[in-house]
Amino acid sequence: MSSNIAQQVETIWRDVLTVPDGQEGATFFELGGESISAVRLVSRIEEELDVWLDVGDIFEDDPNLATLVATVVTKAEEASAA
């Protein structure tokens, strides 16, 4: 399950943010992320994966793809365990 989530989050990340070659480890802000990008990212994750994230977390944590994937996987596992 988590590898499927990871692939979906990566697809969303790459669709919302332009990720140049060699910048795969860049953070949200390093990739030019802004408020509308954060809203699009969170909205798509909620719609496509049914995992709720707070837009504020994106601004506070400034995640890279790996960090975001870990957060989404953890929240998905918590939701399925509840």
Side-chain angles (χ1 to χ4, degrees):
M1 173 175 138
S2 62
S3 66
N4 186 36
I5 290 173
Q7 290 173 342
Q8 289 179 276
V9 172
E10 181 175 359
T11 298
I12 294 167
W13 177 267
R14 290 182 180 279
D15 284 350
V16 171
L17 300 166
T18 302
V19 183
D21 289 340
Q23 293 292 312
E24 289 78 14
T27 67
F28 177 78
F29 289 119
E30 289 172 343
L31 293 170
E34 52 190 30
S35 57
I36 191 69
S37 306
V39 170
R40 288 179 60 215
L41 195 62
V42 168
S43 295
R44 286 200 44 199
I45 289 169
E46 289 174 359
E47 290 170 13
E48 296 177 29
L49 300 172
D50 201 28
V51 174
W52 186 86
L53 296 174
D54 190 317
V55 173
D57 292 340
I58 302 292
F59 288 106
E60 291 174 19
D61 299 339
D62 188 21
N64 62 16
L65 176 58
T67 305
L68 183 62
V69 166
T71 299
V72 173
V73 167
T74 299
K75 290 184 177 278
E77 289 170 352
E78 289 171 355
S80 67

